Amino acid sequence: MLGAALRFAVGTATVAASGWVLRALQGSPRAVGARPDEIWPVARRSPNYQDGVFVNVDPASSISLDREQQRMLLWELVGSRDSARPGKPIPLAVPPKVQTTPVDLAASWYGHSSALIEVDGYRVLTDPVWSKRCSPSRTVGPERMHEVPVPLQALPALDAVIISHDHYDHLDMDTIVALAHSQRAPFVVPLGVGAHLRKWRIPDNRIVELDWHESHQIGDLTLVCTPARHFSGRLLTRNTTLWASWVIIGPRHRAFFGGDTGYTKSFAEIGMDHGPFDVSLLPVGAYHPAWPDIHMNPEEAVRAHLDIAEAGKGLLLPIHWATFRLAPHPWAEPIERLLAAADPAGVEVVVPRPGERIDPTAPSAPSAFDPWWQR
């Protein structure tokens, strides 16, 4: 076991140290969500649920760090604070590109894994986190490195909100509750995650829970819950809820949302079953050799894109970087490595500023050639 600080750093925001728990829970105990016994009645119907926990298609490698290796890793996390944060304020899209007229295909990145994906006139919001911290506490935990680029109430009418898994940097209680009041869209979530929403008094008729390979129809839009290689947990228990990637299929266009995942053989299967995709939103940050199977590095993101997209087609939009410090690598390193790997592979990458809207059907994507992260 790596200990609480390491677990937290890999992007889970999972709280394990008792003193930290006591301080964190002074903020909002409800944010922790449902208990395992409240999740189990739904989770147990899945063949991916074994011996009381969900399991990956690709088992994670067993990496055991001795005490000295743990000490060195924690020192690396603490010592990298300066390089893991930008030297200047992260530029936001000005003005924020919030469009009220539906389009055939577009994606707006709001930071980390929060994005608005537009497919054939439908709007799908992914992993919305608008809070200052990704934590059960409003005073303890990773803090935003840039402001929210668009107020939550300024979002257009949504057709669905999809969640990849229950870690705090992907499932935020305050944001979910606010969306339940400001929007009418359903929350489409992996199995077990619905128990957290019910704990926060989201009505049952607003919650759709799916296992891997199950789908939900909204008009002629199809949302497919597909595998990812990760884990779950909001406090001391792990893997009581499912983690997932998502396929978004319209009548004419398709998008893929990777959520939070390590590289997995499932990408090739997803590509064969549901691809090719016009745009893929894939995580590229918070990687480290100590946790190689739960967060992709940039080179693996390029490989994943090639697995799910037809050769030479489809945009790759990087997510899961720049907003929260969850690993010791330099904050802009994911993008530099991604571009270096994508060019020889013939993969077109677009890197929007937080709040920027990208239309892959346009003749060119200007932000793909604007290295704003270097300023």
Side-chain angles (χ1 to χ4, degrees), residues 254-258 261-264 266-272 275-284 296-318 338 341-343 345-350 360:
R254 296 173 181 237
F256 179 75
F257 173 65
T261 180
Y263 182 80
T264 169
S266 295
F267 289 135
E269 297 168 359
I270 292 167
M272 287 188 294
F277 297 94
D278 299 286
V279 61
S280 64
L281 285 77
L282 293 171
V284 301
M296 287 194 292
N297 62 38
E299 294 78 17
E300 289 171 325
V302 170
R303 182 182 173 191
H305 178 82
L306 292 172
D307 285 347
I308 65 172
E310 188 175 337
K313 296 183 179 179
L315 282 180
L316 193 168
L317 194 160
L338 180 71
D343 184 55
V347 173
E348 186 176 1
V349 177
V350 61

Side-chain angles (χ1 to χ4, degrees), residues 137-155:
S137 170
R138 295 186 178 95
T139 58
V140 178
E143 189 173 4
R144 283 184 167 275
M145 294 190 291
H146 64 78
E147 295 297 321
V148 175
V150 176
L152 203 61
Q153 60 271 23
L155 293 178

Side-chain angles (χ1 to χ4, degrees), residues 72-98:
M72 292 177 64
L73 178 55
L74 293 177
W75 180 256
E76 182 182 358
L77 291 170
V78 173
S80 67
R81 286 182 178 178
D82 290 341
S83 64
R85 296 178 180 276
K88 298 179 180 179
I90 295 174
L92 306 181
V94 180
K97 299 295 184 3
V98 178

Side-chain angles (χ1 to χ4, degrees), residues 161-241:
V161 178
I162 58 175
I163 303 296
S164 64
H165 65 301
D166 71 2
H167 287 154
Y168 292 102
D169 56 323
H170 297 261
L171 179 65
D172 176 61
M173 181 190 71
D174 289 342
T175 305
I176 294 296
V177 171
L179 284 169
H181 287 92
S182 63
Q183 297 279 346
R184 296 183 178 181
F187 297 91
V188 188
V189 303
L191 278 182
V193 175
H196 297 314
L197 273 60
R198 285 186 283 272
K199 195 78 171 181
W200 303 332
R201 299 182 180 177
I202 307 302
D204 271 331
N205 63 2
R206 296 282 300 275
I207 302 170
V208 178
E209 288 185 85
L210 301 178
D211 198 0
W212 289 338
H213 309 298
E214 293 182 340
S215 63
H216 179 66
Q217 201 78 20
I218 301 173
D220 51 6
L221 180 78
T222 303
L223 302 174
V224 186
C225 181
T226 45
R229 191 181 191 185
H230 202 56
F231 69 108
S232 65
R234 291 178 73 81
L235 194 59
L236 300 178
T237 57
R238 294 179 63 172
N239 301 341
T240 56
T241 64

Side-chain angles (χ1 to χ4, degrees), residues 64-128:
S64 178
L65 302 184
D66 60 29
R67 189 176 297 275
E68 177 63 17
Q69 289 172 319
Q70 291 184 35
R71 186 190 67 80
M72 292 177 64
L73 178 55
L74 293 177
W75 180 256
E76 182 182 358
L77 291 170
V78 173
S80 67
R81 286 182 178 178
D82 290 341
S83 64
R85 296 178 180 276
K88 298 179 180 179
I90 295 174
L92 306 181
V94 180
K97 299 295 184 3
V98 178
Q99 302 289 339
T100 58
T101 302
V103 298
D104 285 341
L105 185 66
S108 302
W109 181 57
Y110 299 132
H112 203 54
S113 298
S114 302
L116 179 64
I117 303 174
E118 300 172 69
V119 173
D120 297 332
Y122 291 91
R123 299 187 183 97
V124 179
L125 185 65
T126 69
D127 285 0

